[in-house]
Amino acid sequence: MCETVALTRFAVHSDPMSDSGSGTEYFWCTRHHRVETEADVCPSVYVLGPYRSKADAENALQTVQERNEVWDEEDRRWAGEER
């Protein structure tokens, strides 16, 4: 049996007590290579985020790369590999 995955964005969490400003969430779209907001966001399969600022969304790919490098190093240490 083949199931389809919905191409819509689902809320993962909410932060109603946040005082971070306008409350606008920003996303990095990997399909269009641009920052998007809730008003024009692509389906979740194409976006990274949400981020609290446009600048954070613009740096999403760099953030992903940095986190992956840290996690890869942790995996090597866990496996007992020396670099």
Side-chain angles (χ1 to χ4, degrees), residues 48 51 59-71:
L48 301 172
Y51 296 94
N59 294 315
L61 296 178
Q62 179 65 30
T63 300
V64 168
Q65 180 180 349
E66 291 169 358
R67 288 179 181 167
N68 284 343
E69 289 171 0
V70 169
W71 292 336

Side-chain angles (χ1 to χ4, degrees), residues 45-60:
V45 68
Y46 299 114
V47 298
L48 301 172
Y51 296 94
R52 290 183 181 217
S53 72
K54 184 176 179 181
D56 287 344
E58 288 171 339
N59 294 315

Side-chain angles (χ1 to χ4, degrees), residues 11 19 36 41 53 56 59 72 83:
D19 61 354
E36 298 178 344
V41 68
S53 72
D56 287 344
N59 294 315
D72 288 345
R83 205 174 215 216

Side-chain angles (χ1 to χ4, degrees), residues 24-41:
T24 300
E25 292 182 327
Y26 299 89
F27 302 84
W28 178 255
C29 179
T30 59
R31 187 164 91 182
H32 297 111
H33 305 283
R34 68 178 185 206
V35 173
E36 298 178 344
T37 65
E38 297 121 340
D40 67 348
V41 68

